Amino acid sequence: MIFVESEFAPLRTVVLAESEFGMPKVQREEDLKFLTPEARADLHTKTGMDYGDAYPENQQAWIKERESFKTVLLKHGVEVLRPRRLTAAEKKAGGDDGYANFFSRDPFFTVGNLVIEGSMRLLHRRMEVLPMRDIMQERVYPEDSIYVAAPRAAVASPDDATHGPGPFIEGGDVLVLDKHIFVGSSGLASNALGARWLEKLLRPHGYTLEIVRLQPDILHLDCALGLIRDGLMVVCAAAFKDGIPDKLRSWDRIDVTYKETTNLATNGLPLSPEVYVTDPVFRHIGDRIASRGVAVEYVDFHITRSLGGSFRCSTQPLLRKS
């Protein structure tokens, strides 16, 4: 079965990301605003290299982080699927732009029984969906679900800092709350045209879409907001240009600082309304979540976070249903 009811409905089947990254030969500083200064410096030091070749110890630690997370998922009865690795031809096709196979949240996403391939803004991520296609054939094609891809992004001139009109729509910006869909927009990932396309797709299925404007150094909506269970969220109010969405303003909220948001404090993953996963560096946040009756699991995700994503970014559910 393919269905995602909400961000916190019990997680049954999930795609857990691989750990491959080819760093672009030319780093565009305006595209790296969401990273910490340390992470930006690392990328500028080893341009054009495979991350594993540039940082072999970090690569092994990164793989271990994902395996530790997988152990927690399996412990809670979640079926874990993994993408295949990139082929040599796919890596070569990335050219100077680099390549990515490291965050499964963004290149595709699931809303209800619709599985949607996104349209990525950053050039090194444009083909990131390809390693997911085997999973689509094995698990999505046989199901009574809809499988569709967003329009290919327009080709922009090399000096266009916006990367052109898109449309861009990425899973990290898409949060599901039953029939209400929030779509983040900061200028770094999803844009208005991508949201317009998604709204056109979803409206006949009874969904309402709300664009949430973010500060220009916030990559995705899930870097500023996490829905833990009905009525409870972890959030950085300062990350929103227009304040917290009206639909969520009455919710009990666990506030985090802007600096914590940069370090992915809101990007934990609910396994159900009763269980939440985060990094031990955020134990003070986890303690506040636990005080609301939610069990908290901790996995060290330091390397993963240094690359701009965390637990939600590393996963894409195919089945979340009560």
Side-chain angles (χ1 to χ4, degrees):
M1 183 179 185
I2 304 293
F3 197 86
V4 168
E5 178 181 298
S6 70
E7 294 299 311
F8 43 78
L11 183 59
R12 314 290 189 188
T13 302
V14 74
V15 179
L16 174 62
E18 261 294 345
S19 304
E20 294 184 287
F21 177 32
M23 294 179 281
K25 198 164 187 178
V26 177
Q27 303 286 355
R28 296 162 52 112
E29 193 63 33
E30 61 268 29
D31 287 340
L32 304 178
K33 291 185 290 188
F34 64 95
L35 293 174
T36 64
E38 297 79 13
R40 291 200 298 270
D42 284 347
L43 292 180
H44 283 301
T45 301
K46 305 285 187 177
T47 56
M49 294 184 67
D50 182 271
Y51 185 85
D53 293 335
Y55 304 105
E57 291 185 6
N58 282 2
Q59 177 70 35
Q60 292 308 307
W62 188 19
I63 292 170
K64 185 178 179 181
E65 287 178 358
R66 296 284 176 65
E67 288 299 320
S68 297
F69 185 26
K70 179 181 176 181
T71 298
V72 172
L73 291 167
L74 293 174
K75 169 186 168 183
H76 288 276
V78 180
E79 180 187 18
V80 179
L81 310 176
R82 304 298 299 272
R84 63 166 174 79
R85 295 178 65 81
L86 290 163
T87 65
E90 287 166 342
K91 291 181 179 180
K92 184 177 180 180
D96 290 346
D97 293 330
Y99 50 82
N101 182 21
F102 62 176
F103 290 118
S104 53
R105 177 64 59 167
D106 303 319
F108 84 97
F109 51 95
T110 315
V111 177
N113 73 336
L114 293 91
V115 178
I116 303 160
E117 289 192 14
S119 177
M120 308 292 286
R121 178 178 172 272
L122 296 180
L123 299 179
H124 68 277
R125 304 193 69 185
R126 293 283 175 97
M127 297 188 291
E128 194 171 7
V129 74
L130 298 181
M132 316 289 175
R133 293 266 178 87
D134 290 356
I135 292 173
M136 305 301 188
Q137 291 181 30
E138 294 168 11
R139 303 303 294 264
V140 178
Y141 277 63
E143 294 291 338
D144 186 16
S145 60
I146 296 166
Y147 174 32
V148 65
R152 180 177 176 177
V155 177
S157 63
D159 60 350
D160 185 346
T162 70
H163 294 298
F168 302 123
I169 187 73
E170 305 186 7
D173 277 319
V174 179
L175 270 62
V176 181
L177 184 61
D178 299 316
K179 288 290 187 176
H180 195 92
I181 309 300
F182 299 99
V183 176
S185 179
S186 69
L188 288 174
S190 304
N191 66 0
L193 185 57
R196 182 182 177 190
W197 174 84
L198 183 61
E199 183 178 35
K200 181 173 177 58
L201 172 68
L202 295 179
R203 191 189 306 117
H205 300 277
Y207 289 92
T208 299
L209 186 145
E210 177 179 356
I211 295 177
V212 181
R213 297 196 309 150
L214 302 168
Q215 301 296 348
D217 56 348
I218 300 292
L219 179 59
H220 291 128
L221 181 56
D222 64 8
C223 300
L225 172 66
L227 308 183
I228 297 173
R229 70 176 183 210
D230 191 22
L232 176 64
M233 63 182 174
V234 56
V235 65
C236 176
F240 299 90
K241 282 190 171 181
D242 306 309
I244 294 170
D246 287 344
K247 194 172 183 67
L248 302 174
R249 288 188 183 177
S250 65
W251 283 34
D252 183 11
R253 67 193 233 195
I254 295 169
D255 291 296
V256 303
T257 67
Y258 206 88
K259 183 176 181 181
E260 287 172 330
T261 294
T262 303
N263 287 318
L264 285 306
T266 67
N267 201 258
L269 188 75
L271 304 189
S272 71
E274 292 80 36
V275 182
Y276 183 79
V277 182
T278 191
D279 191 300
V281 74
F282 303 124
R283 189 172 293 274
H284 61 293
I285 298 170
D287 288 344
R288 292 160 68 192
I289 293 170
S291 73
R292 271 75 165 182
V294 178
V296 181
E297 294 270 14
Y298 293 99
V299 179
D300 185 346
F301 243 38
H302 172 74
I303 302 298
T304 304
R305 288 189 297 106
S306 75
L307 293 166
S310 192
F311 298 99
R312 188 178 190 271
C313 296
S314 300
T315 53
Q316 181 54 246
L318 290 178
L319 183 56
R320 263 196 187 277
K321 189 170 172 60
S322 302

